Amino acid sequence: METPWKYNFASLIDSFPYFGLHGTYHTGGYLAPLGKTRASGLRSATFLQQRRWLDERTRAVFVELILYNPHVNLFSSVTLAVEFTKLGAAYRGAKVVTLRLIQHDAILLLVLRAVLAVFILFFAIKEVKRLLSRPMEYLKDFWSWMENLVIIVGIATLGVYFKAQTIIDEAAEQRTSSSSVFSLYKSAVSWFEVYMYLLALLICCGTLKFIRLLRFNSHVYALTMTVRKSSRPILQFTFMAGIVLMAFTQMGNLMFGTKLQDYKNIPTSLQSLCTMMLGSFDFDALVDGHWVLGPLMFFSYQVMMQFILLSMFMTIIMDVYAEESQDPNTDDLRMVGFIRETTSEAVGKANRTLSNVGKRNSTKTPQTRTPDLDNRRKFSNVFEELAGKI
């Protein structure tokens, strides 16, 4: 029987690294296909076991497969991992990603993405004009950066989608004639996963833009002004709270790192304390770690974070909010001024357009019929009166 495995370099596999518990594993390595049936998989596994495919230098073993359910039209990329540490311990991990790679209504989705591309192009041109007209004011505005973020993420989302769709089309063509179709589907799943992350960020930024549309509401206006004016004291408070949190993190790691998995290192200890602040904790495990120091750390942490630091944070926010809600200049919230300004601009554009039409008509050759200048004067007077009233 021939050797069923071969080494593939990372550049030959278009995929993403695997983030395990004890390391990050990039693509590439020794690959051994298990076949398409249970019998062929058992034969390959037995042969690898007899030839001692795993040795003391093996750091991780991955079992990857693609599952497809035709009833719901879903693909599942399954990755089973076993990590080996230098001490010989083995840690298991699994990752399952379920996506719909084949779209039945692909034409409609393509049309909708084309419309999205047109909107992104339109807003990109608009933002470039605003930047060139008033660069300093544009760069100081927070919503200008939000618009640019939406444009950049939208372009990246479309690019990643078409990249994944190209890989899916290639896999569909080579499904029966090539043995590398698994790597193509694996790469398509990875790219679609990135596409979902970008789409989530795009939807989040687009939803935040509704705050700008609701800026005439008194509560929304007070919220935005509160966030703007309380940013500096909140940053100072965050720095102090971070010092306290890191102190408890190190204390939990030093006291319970050798006994409890939740405090075995600094990142896991920090994660456990953050979830404890949200109400998810295992008090019995802390008591088992140490019957005196465990409860003492728990109650001291809760008192410091919940009763002292959280109260200080709410005090900072409420003081600024009380000042903004009592501001008499925010009652009308410039709604009338916004309507007046918008209507004045529209009336001015219409009046200038009508004047330009009159100038062009006056420069033309005399016609057999004399233009009615009275109606033109009436329209001009109406627009001037309307602008004056506003």
Side-chain angles (χ1 to χ4, degrees):
M1 183 176 180
E2 297 180 358
T3 302
W5 65 81
K6 60 180 180 178
Y7 186 83
N8 283 39
F9 292 95
S11 59
L12 300 178
I13 305 177
D14 186 12
S15 184
F16 293 86
Y18 178 86
F19 300 95
L21 297 176
H22 297 273
T24 301
Y25 306 94
H26 299 278
T27 56
Y30 290 97
L31 303 180
L34 298 179
K36 298 182 179 180
T37 61
R38 178 184 178 88
S40 63
L42 290 176
R43 285 196 303 268
S44 299
T46 303
F47 180 80
L48 294 174
Q49 184 180 7
Q50 293 174 354
R51 297 299 188 275
R52 298 183 60 84
W53 191 51
L54 302 180
D55 54 19
E56 65 276 2
R57 289 173 292 184
T58 302
R59 286 294 170 261
V61 177
F62 300 92
V63 179
E64 298 178 321
L65 60 149
I66 297 291
L67 304 178
Y68 176 65
N69 190 341
H71 300 288
V72 293
N73 189 25
L74 289 175
F75 283 84
S76 291
S77 173
V78 182
T79 302
L80 306 177
V82 179
E83 301 177 73
F84 300 97
T85 61
K86 296 180 180 180
L87 299 178
Y91 296 90
R92 295 173 297 176
K95 179 181 179 182
V96 181
V97 180
T98 302
L99 295 170
R100 181 172 283 107
L101 298 180
I102 301 177
Q103 304 289 343
H104 295 300
D105 48 355
I107 298 179
L108 177 60
L109 295 176
L110 183 62
V111 171
L112 293 177
R113 288 180 173 86
V115 173
L116 176 61
V118 172
F119 273 101
I120 291 175
L121 181 61
F122 171 76
F123 284 108
I125 296 174
K126 181 180 178 182
E127 294 301 317
V128 169
K129 290 182 178 179
R130 288 182 56 194
L131 176 61
L132 296 178
S133 61
R134 294 178 296 179
M136 298 304 299
E137 296 180 3
Y138 182 84
L139 295 176
K140 293 180 180 179
D141 189 11
F142 168 77
W143 295 107
S144 300
W145 293 98
M146 182 62 69
E147 291 285 350
N148 290 326
L149 181 61
V150 170
I151 293 171
I152 294 172
V153 175
I155 295 174
T157 302
L158 292 176
V160 171
Y161 171 78
F162 286 112
K163 169 70 175 177
Q165 196 64 40
T166 303
I167 298 175
I168 293 173
D169 296 339
E170 184 180 357
E173 295 177 357
Q174 301 180 5
R175 183 165 49 189
T176 57
S177 61
S178 177
S179 59
S180 63
V181 65
F182 173 80
S183 61
L184 292 176
Y185 276 116
K186 183 70 176 178
S187 177
V189 169
S190 301
W191 281 106
F192 254 99
E193 197 173 1
V194 175
Y195 166 73
M196 296 301 295
Y197 294 151
L198 292 175
L199 189 62
L201 180 59
L202 180 63
I203 294 174
C204 178
C205 296
T207 306
L208 288 177
K209 290 178 60 178
F210 278 103
I211 298 178
R212 182 172 176 82
L213 298 178
L214 300 174
R215 63 187 182 274
F216 297 117
N217 184 274
S218 59
H219 298 287
V220 176
Y221 179 82
L223 173 64
T224 55
M225 295 304 297
T226 300
V227 173
R228 182 181 302 177
K229 292 187 177 181
S230 62
S231 58
R232 184 173 180 180
I234 287 178
L235 288 177
Q236 297 174 355
F237 170 80
T238 304
F239 180 75
M240 182 186 67
I243 295 176
V244 176
L245 182 60
M246 288 306 300
F248 279 97
T249 300
Q250 295 178 6
M251 182 173 68
N253 176 246
L254 293 175
M255 288 194 307
F256 309 111
T258 58
K259 299 179 181 180
L260 303 178
Q261 282 291 112
D262 294 338
Y263 300 90
K264 61 182 179 180
N265 50 37
I266 295 298
T268 56
S269 179
L270 178 61
Q271 181 180 357
S272 300
L273 291 178
C274 290
T275 55
M276 183 188 297
M277 188 169 53
L278 297 176
S280 176
F281 55 87
D282 189 359
F283 182 76
D284 295 333
L286 293 175
V287 174
D288 294 337
H290 197 281
W291 67 279
V292 175
L293 297 180
L296 180 61
M297 188 196 98
F298 173 80
F299 287 110
S300 61
Y301 176 77
Q302 292 290 350
V303 169
M304 179 62 69
M305 300 301 295
Q306 300 286 350
F307 296 100
I308 299 178
L309 293 182
L310 186 60
S311 300
M312 292 175 61
F313 177 78
M314 295 301 298
T315 302
I316 295 173
I317 296 295
M318 293 305 297
D319 287 344
V320 180
Y321 182 80
E323 294 178 0
E324 293 300 325
S325 60
Q326 295 177 1
D327 190 358
N329 297 326
T330 61
D331 293 334
D332 56 349
L333 296 172
R334 297 176 296 177
M335 184 68 178
V336 178
F338 175 78
I339 297 176
R340 182 186 299 128
E341 182 181 357
T342 305
T343 310
S344 300
E345 291 179 358
V347 171
K349 290 181 180 179
N351 199 1
R352 287 193 299 271
T353 303
L354 191 60
S355 301
N356 294 332
V357 171
K359 292 180 181 178
R360 287 197 299 268
N361 291 335
S362 62
T363 57
K364 293 182 180 179
T365 55
Q367 300 178 354
T368 57
R369 182 180 177 183
T370 304
D372 191 359
L373 299 178
D374 294 335
N375 292 333
R376 190 180 303 156
R377 294 192 190 96
K378 291 179 181 179
F379 278 114
S380 300
N381 294 332
V382 170
F383 282 126
E384 290 177 359
E385 291 177 0
L386 183 60
K389 292 179 180 180
I390 295 174

